[in-house]
């Protein structure tokens, strides 16, 4: 392979999401089948042996794009020169908890990792925060970015988008690939707003294909908002393979511009678009304008229902920001 290898860090490397994620990164699903990758597996010291076991299995897959691994608990070494950082390592919630209940324990991880990324990663590093509550953890990490670019710090709502696609396709008797332009607005939490008003199924507006408005406004939205809890209740553990798949989708779309429709959902540092306070990490519809370049889609007409829902999720994010104000670098 002629391309130089790209270094990809994954925290929480011994955890359940990582077990679904690392093999796909190594096999070329993240950055392309012609792009060699070096994996940086980061976890806490007691879990390094387990991470080394995962590396043994990756070697045993003989993927043509796999160019080696670093396994470490030291964030400076783990983020050294990395081009892409997937911040997965954090506590998951259990039954009966909300993701925001994790803020106190998980938030501090992102102070240390944000600092280590800013000091050690490639200056153009692209970051995806998966560990919950991912928007506000990303806000903490991005606030530490001085040498690196805070615009390159993003959080994951692609899983919510994919969930919305699945629900709409099921209801319409269509294939997931027929559903376009369903974007998640706001927080990865039960207040998120899947904006179906702009979405299409087979080229027709969702509202023309699914005429049961009560279902769209009611069960559809609440199913997407609470799908994480539904999976936890069924599995006893939070989603893992679908979360790993969404992380692959998020980075692959960002890196290549390949999105299902005109745009995709990414939680990014708000520039004030649509009146969302600047600096909040907020999920918007984003267009990928060139490899690794995104722009928030402008000019969407938001009706009263959408505006009210977006206010609720914005207020929740403001409350989370307030709860971690000591963790945010000035
Ligand atoms: P897990 O418990 O299976 O694995 C977490 C791993 O992170 C463990 O190996 C743990 O040792 C490691 N870890 C903890 N602190 C660390 C640190 N400071 N540095 C490096 N590694 C550290 O959990 P999981 O199921 O893989 O989930 C990980 C996180 O992802 C959770 O917070 C979960 O809620 C979140 N999640 C987010 C989404 C999303 O859509 N944004 C979806 C699913 C799960
Ligand atoms: C999800 O949406 O599946 C994850 O955020 C895990 C969770 O706690 O719901």
């Amino acid at each position: 392979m002629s391309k130089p290898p790209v270094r990809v860090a994954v925290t929480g490397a011994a955890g359940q999401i990582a077990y679904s994620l690392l093999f796909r990164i190594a096999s070329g699903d993240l950055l392309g089948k012609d792009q060699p990758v070096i994996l940086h597996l980061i976890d806490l010291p007691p879990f390094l042996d387990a991470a080394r076991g995962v590396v043994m299995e990756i070697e045993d897959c003989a993927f043509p794009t796999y160019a080696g691994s670093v396994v470490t608990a030291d964030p400076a070494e783990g983020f050294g020169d990395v081009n892409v950082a997937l911040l997965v390592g954090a506590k998951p919630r259990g039954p009966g908890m909300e993701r925001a209940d994790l803020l106190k324990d998980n938030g501090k991880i992102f102070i240390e990792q944000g600092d280590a990324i800013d000091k050690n990663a490639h200056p153009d590093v692209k970051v995806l925060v998966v560990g919950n509550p991912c928007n506000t953890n990303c806000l903490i990490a991005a606030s530490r970015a001085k040498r690196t670019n805070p615009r390159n710090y993003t959080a994951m709502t692609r899983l919510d988008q994919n969930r919305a696609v699945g629900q709409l396709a099921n209801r319409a008797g269509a294939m997931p690939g027929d559903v376009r332009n369903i974007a998640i607005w706001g927080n990865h939490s039960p207040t998120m707003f899947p904006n179906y008003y702009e979405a299409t199924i087979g080229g027709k507006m969702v509202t023309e294909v699914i005429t049961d408005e009560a279902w769209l406004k009611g069960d559809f939205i609440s199913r997407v908002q609470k799908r994480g809890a539904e999976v936890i209740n069924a599995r006893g553990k939070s989603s893992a393979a679908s979360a790993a798949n969404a992380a692959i989708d998020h980075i692959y779309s960002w890196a290549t511009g390949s999105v299902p429709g005109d745009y995709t959902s990414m939680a990014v540092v708000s520039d004030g678009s649509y009146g969302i306070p600047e600096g909040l990490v907020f999920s918007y519809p984003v267009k990928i304008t060139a490899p690794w370049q995104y722009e928030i889609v402008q000019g969407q007409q938001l009706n009263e229902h959408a505006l009210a829902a977006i206010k609720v999720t914005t207020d929740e994010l403001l409350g989370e920001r307030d709860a971690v104000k000591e963790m945010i670098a000035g």
Side-chain angles (χ1 to χ4, degrees):
M1 263 174 223
S2 54
K3 290 185 175 177
V6 165
R7 293 181 178 272
V8 180
V10 177
T11 68
Q16 57 151 5
I17 294 176
Y19 196 68
S20 289
L21 182 58
L22 288 162
F23 295 85
R24 293 194 56 193
I25 301 172
S27 72
D29 283 356
L30 189 76
L31 296 170
K33 298 288 181 192
D34 60 346
Q35 177 58 66
V37 288
I38 299 175
L39 295 173
H40 288 221
L41 288 83
I42 306 169
D43 210 304
L44 300 172
F47 303 100
L48 291 184
D49 277 343
R52 287 188 195 101
V54 177
V55 169
M56 290 177 205
E57 286 201 71
I58 293 170
E59 284 171 4
D60 295 348
C61 292
F63 296 121
T65 41
Y66 176 62
S69 288
V70 173
V71 179
T72 183
D74 172 10
E77 184 188 7
F79 292 117
D81 278 337
V82 299
N83 308 91
V84 180
L86 304 178
L87 307 187
V88 178
K91 256 196 205 166
R93 65 174 164 156
M97 290 172 76
E98 283 305 339
R99 298 179 188 93
D101 299 336
L102 299 166
L103 207 44
K104 240 179 155 193
D105 285 339
N106 285 348
K108 48 187 185 266
I109 296 175
F110 295 85
I111 301 177
E112 188 195 19
Q113 293 186 352
D115 286 341
I117 290 170
D118 199 50
K119 286 202 186 80
N120 301 288
H122 188 284
D124 203 26
V125 63
K126 306 298 187 299
V127 178
L128 170 62
V129 178
V130 174
N132 277 319
C134 61
N135 297 58
T136 299
N137 289 336
C138 181
L139 171 76
I140 295 168
S143 77
R144 327 293 299 184
K146 309 287 177 248
R147 189 179 64 99
T148 56
N149 184 352
R151 256 182 77 80
N152 290 340
Y153 287 66
T154 65
M156 190 165 93
T157 50
R158 186 64 172 265
L159 176 55
D160 309 303
Q161 175 180 316
N162 289 346
R163 287 168 171 166
V165 167
Q167 294 303 315
L168 291 173
N170 271 348
R171 179 76 183 198
M175 294 295 288
D178 298 330
V179 181
R180 303 273 156 136
N181 295 349
I182 174 92
I184 304 298
W185 289 66
N187 200 3
H188 174 62
S189 81
T191 67
M192 76 182 80
F193 178 59
N195 186 11
Y196 60 84
Y197 293 107
E198 299 279 336
T200 58
I201 302 178
K204 290 191 181 147
M205 300 311 291
V206 160
T207 44
E208 284 172 50
V209 180
I210 301 171
T211 50
D212 184 350
E213 200 192 340
W215 180 82
L216 284 167
K217 272 197 165 149
D219 287 353
F220 164 66
I221 292 185
S222 75
R223 190 103 200 235
V224 175
Q225 290 174 327
K226 297 186 192 136
R227 185 64 153 187
E230 197 181 350
V231 171
I232 291 171
N233 290 337
R235 255 171 50 87
K237 289 189 235 165
S238 61
S239 58
S242 57
N245 178 65
I248 297 276
D249 284 349
H250 177 115
I251 295 289
Y252 186 78
S253 286
W254 191 5
T256 64
S258 158
V259 297
D262 303 325
Y263 47 76
T264 184
S265 312
M266 279 168 56
V268 301
V269 177
S270 168
D271 60 0
S273 292
Y274 297 93
I276 306 305
E278 248 177 81
L280 278 191
V281 174
F282 191 90
S283 182
Y284 287 105
V286 302
K287 253 187 202 303
I288 308 300
T289 51
W292 295 119
Q293 301 293 326
Y294 68 81
E295 273 174 19
I296 296 167
V297 174
Q298 299 297 326
Q300 292 215 329
Q301 298 303 314
L302 300 168
N303 64 19
E304 260 178 44
H305 172 217
L307 287 171
I310 288 169
K311 180 169 180 342
V312 172
T313 198
T314 305
D315 288 348
E316 182 182 53
L317 281 168
L318 286 170
E320 287 185 17
R321 179 167 78 179
D322 200 45
V324 298
K325 57 180 184 286
E326 277 87 33
M327 299 188 199
I328 297 172

